[in-house]
Amino acid sequence: MEHMTSAPPPDEPLRDEARPDEPRWLSDEEQRIWRAYLHATTLLEDHLDRQLQRDAGMPHIYYGLLVKLAQAPRRRMRMTELARDAKITRSRLSHAIARLERNGWVRREDCPSDKRGQNAVLTPAGTAVLERTAPGHVEAVRQALFDRLSPEQTGQLGEIMRVMAEGLQPQGEDADLPWLR
């Protein structure tokens, strides 16, 4: 559900007249950009989910987990680290890994350095599904995003996303983050 982000009704004070404890409402232009961003990211995620469901029978988030495992040393990651990298709760990760295990694409193993921990390990079948699915996925990304942007826009988008990510990335060990719970 969309959060109220636009300016208050006309009978309420505008931004410049608002008290310091009042919300900093979005201008009409900021509101237009915000809504365009939400619309585009929702459509992009749906586009990628549909492509991956069609080609591999998995949602985009599961594909991302397989990619993270494929890029990890020895194709394995500790479950808590995988949850943190994927920015999902450990509970959601456990559910996803269970499904990937049923498909034969991942297996769990005990962590040798910590008896309480587990590793997720990409199986040869998981590697094969990635190899089979990656060409269609990269084409879907290319068609949905990069083919629509000029080289200058691509560079600008990269810089904008970098700045946003840096500003949103939690800095302290004590940050209350769902994927640390």
Side-chain angles (χ1 to χ4, degrees), residues 134-147:
H137 182 64
V138 75
E139 186 58 29
V141 169
R142 183 167 294 294
Q143 287 176 352
L145 184 64
F146 295 106
D147 289 352

Side-chain angles (χ1 to χ4, degrees), residues 19-103:
R19 296 189 326 253
D21 60 335
E22 290 291 315
R24 292 179 28 206
W25 298 108
L26 299 181
S27 69
D28 289 345
E29 178 67 0
E30 290 168 333
Q31 182 70 9
R32 185 190 63 74
I33 292 166
W34 173 243
R35 289 181 187 266
Y37 169 82
L38 289 176
H39 187 67
T41 55
T42 299
L43 289 172
L44 178 61
E45 189 61 33
D46 178 67
H47 175 73
L48 297 177
D49 261 342
R50 283 184 289 116
Q51 177 268 319
L52 287 164
Q53 286 289 356
R54 182 186 63 243
D55 293 356
M58 75 174 101
H60 190 215
I61 192 160
Y62 290 12
Y63 180 84
L65 294 172
L66 294 178
V67 168
K68 287 182 184 307
L69 290 173
Q71 295 172 341
R74 297 178 39 231
R75 298 183 184 251
R76 64 184 25 85
M77 284 181 80
R78 194 174 162 124
M79 294 280 285
T80 53
E81 182 182 344
L82 186 56
R84 185 183 65 243
D85 285 2
K87 306 295 188 253
I88 60 176
T89 64
R90 288 184 269 195
S91 172
R92 187 171 180 200
L93 176 67
S94 184
H95 176 77
I97 293 297
R99 171 139 176 241
L100 293 170
E101 281 180 304
R102 284 192 299 275
N103 290 344

